Every structure is written in C-alpha cells, then in structure tokens.
Amino acid sequence: MDLYTEGMRQVVKDRGFATVARGLKMDDSRLRKKVDPDYPVRLTLDDFIKIAVLTKDARCLSEILADMELMAVPADKPDDDASLCDRIIHQQVAVGNVAQEVQAALADGKVDANEAWAIDRAVDVAIEKLCALRSELKEMAEPRLAKA
C-alpha cells in the first residue's frame, strides 16, 4: 500500500472495520478489501475524505501534510467562560503534557509509532491552546488609528 493510504489503513484498523464501515454506509467486507494492500480494489478519493472526516483522525492525512510541509491543528472552539489567565494556564498545562509524553516515550530509549502519535496529539493540543490565547489577545487589542 502506498505511503498516503497507510495512515488511513491504520486508522480504520484501530477504529474497527465494522464501526467505520457503518459510518460510511458500506459493507464491512468491502471496506476490508479496499484497505487491503494486496487486493486490487482501492479506496476512492471520496472514501478517503469520508473516513478522514468521520474519524477526525489526523493520521489519515499525516503523510500528505508532511509532503506539503503543513500540519493539522484542531480548530479553536471558543470558550466564552475562559478568562485570559485560564487560557494561559491551559496552554502551560498542554506544554507540560507534551513534556510528559516525550519523557514517557524515551523511558525505554526509543520512540515507537504509538508514542510518536501520542506526542503529535499532545503537540497539536498545545498549539491549539496557544492559538486560542493569541486570538483572545488579538480581540483585546485596542483598534489602531487609521492613517490619514
């Protein structure tokens, strides 16, 4: 299977063929065949997109994004109850979680694929929290005077 669909195959396997197939309104055996690297039937672009949207799992797109030198960051969901101080604390906790994931991954001297994925998720959360903080600060900024 090519590099781009390997992440998708792993996501489908981890989520369960029956669960993903049900979400796609597709027969379980058909989905199994489409993600089987030795079977001639392949995932269509439509299947690929539907699985990525259904699972909301960035592994589906990780190789594509890497080749484009981009990364997926979850969209910030406004939390109107969070103060600026709350956002700063949330961001700092998220960075601490990244450090914990890295430390746990390195405990045995090597980083396996699952540990790398956990680190990626923790980094994504930290970026999301930092972006939320930036958005809050931008909204607080006083309007600039227009140039005459």
Side-chain angles (χ1 to χ4, degrees), residues 45-128:
L45 181 58
D46 190 51
D47 294 333
F48 194 93
I49 291 169
K50 284 179 180 176
I51 293 169
V53 171
L54 175 71
T55 63
K56 294 180 178 28
D57 193 318
R59 290 179 295 169
C60 298
L61 306 171
S62 61
E63 292 301 327
I64 295 168
L65 293 172
D67 279 354
M68 297 172 68
E69 298 179 357
L70 299 171
M71 64 181 201
V73 179
D76 183 34
K77 296 177 184 129
D79 181 3
D80 295 333
D81 295 335
S83 70
L84 181 61
C85 288
D86 289 336
R87 291 193 193 283
I88 292 170
I89 291 168
H90 293 161
Q91 191 276 326
Q92 292 298 308
V93 168
V95 170
N97 290 340
V98 171
Q100 285 178 330
E101 290 291 346
V102 170
Q103 185 178 20
L106 294 176
D108 63 357
K110 60 184 181 215
V111 179
D112 67 28
N114 288 332
E115 291 167 332
W117 183 82
I119 292 167
D120 281 349
R121 299 295 66 76
V123 168
D124 289 345
V125 170
I127 291 169
E128 176 187 352

Side-chain angles (χ1 to χ4, degrees), residues 127-140:
I127 291 169
E128 176 187 352
K129 299 300 181 190
L130 192 56
C131 290
L133 176 61
R134 178 178 57 191
S135 295
E136 181 79 16
L137 287 168
K138 281 184 176 182
E139 286 185 25
M140 293 174 68

